[in-house]
Amino acid sequence: MKIKVICLLILIMGTVASVSAHGVDVTPQSTIVIADNSSGVLAKKVVDEMGVNASVYKFTSDDEVAHQLEHALSNPNKRILAVAYQGTVSEFITNNSNVSNRVFVCSADEMDIKNGLTLLTSNNSSGGFATPFAAGLLIGVIGGLAGGAFWMKRKIS
């Protein structure tokens, strides 16, 4: 009896999926601007003037910025403009080239921030209409073929 219980516990523990907790993304906004105390006010002013749907976050350390950048790896909709902590962000882009079209670095100058926001908001990496249409078409063709084969098999027999 004890062996059955132990085997059952081992089986249950073996089937439990592991959980990898990275942390909660505190920036639900898809377009964010990374700033610090000295560049945050200017960045917020430029974002408000341009009317861009972006949030400006003031970070206090390189570790916080690196943690936020890691969220961009798992969220393909997250776009980031770094006004501060350029070294950390540049190193991150070098190590993770797949986010180079969604993470940009600019200086804490009004014109550079405007250009960066324009580049960030105009760079849309989604497939638009073609991707969902092609997926739906493929699913429809496969489903139609399967349904037709099943119907013909029933009709013949």
Side-chain angles (χ1 to χ4, degrees), residues 88-100 103-105:
T88 303
V89 176
S90 296
E91 182 181 333
F92 180 79
I93 293 171
T94 303
N95 294 337
N96 303 292
S97 60
N98 58 335
V99 297
S100 63
V103 179
F104 298 103
V105 178

Side-chain angles (χ1 to χ4, degrees), residues 44-146:
K44 181 66 175 163
K45 180 183 142 220
V46 172
V47 167
D48 290 342
E49 283 177 1
M50 291 183 67
V52 176
N53 187 15
S55 296
V56 178
Y57 290 96
K58 293 180 186 177
F59 291 96
T60 57
S61 71
D62 289 326
D63 291 335
E64 289 177 354
V65 173
H67 181 80
Q68 181 58 43
L69 290 169
E70 288 174 6
H71 287 290
L73 291 174
S74 60
N75 185 355
N77 296 322
K78 185 157 300 266
R79 297 180 307 259
I80 299 173
L81 178 67
V83 177
Y85 301 102
Q86 289 97 347
T88 303
V89 176
S90 296
E91 182 181 333
F92 180 79
I93 293 171
T94 303
N95 294 337
N96 303 292
S97 60
N98 58 335
V99 297
S100 63
N101 63 338
R102 298 183 286 124
V103 179
F104 298 103
V105 178
C106 72
S107 65
D109 178 46
E110 185 173 348
M111 197 63 189
D112 281 346
I113 296 172
K114 284 183 181 181
N115 291 338
L117 285 171
T118 303
L119 181 64
L120 196 65
T121 56
S122 68
N123 186 9
N124 189 1
S125 61
S126 69
F129 175 72
T131 303
F133 178 73
L137 187 64
L138 182 64
I139 291 170
V141 167
I142 291 172
L145 287 173

Side-chain angles (χ1 to χ4, degrees), residues 144-155:
L145 287 173
F150 178 74
W151 183 53
M152 289 303 291
K153 185 176 179 182
R154 282 185 58 113
K155 193 171 184 178

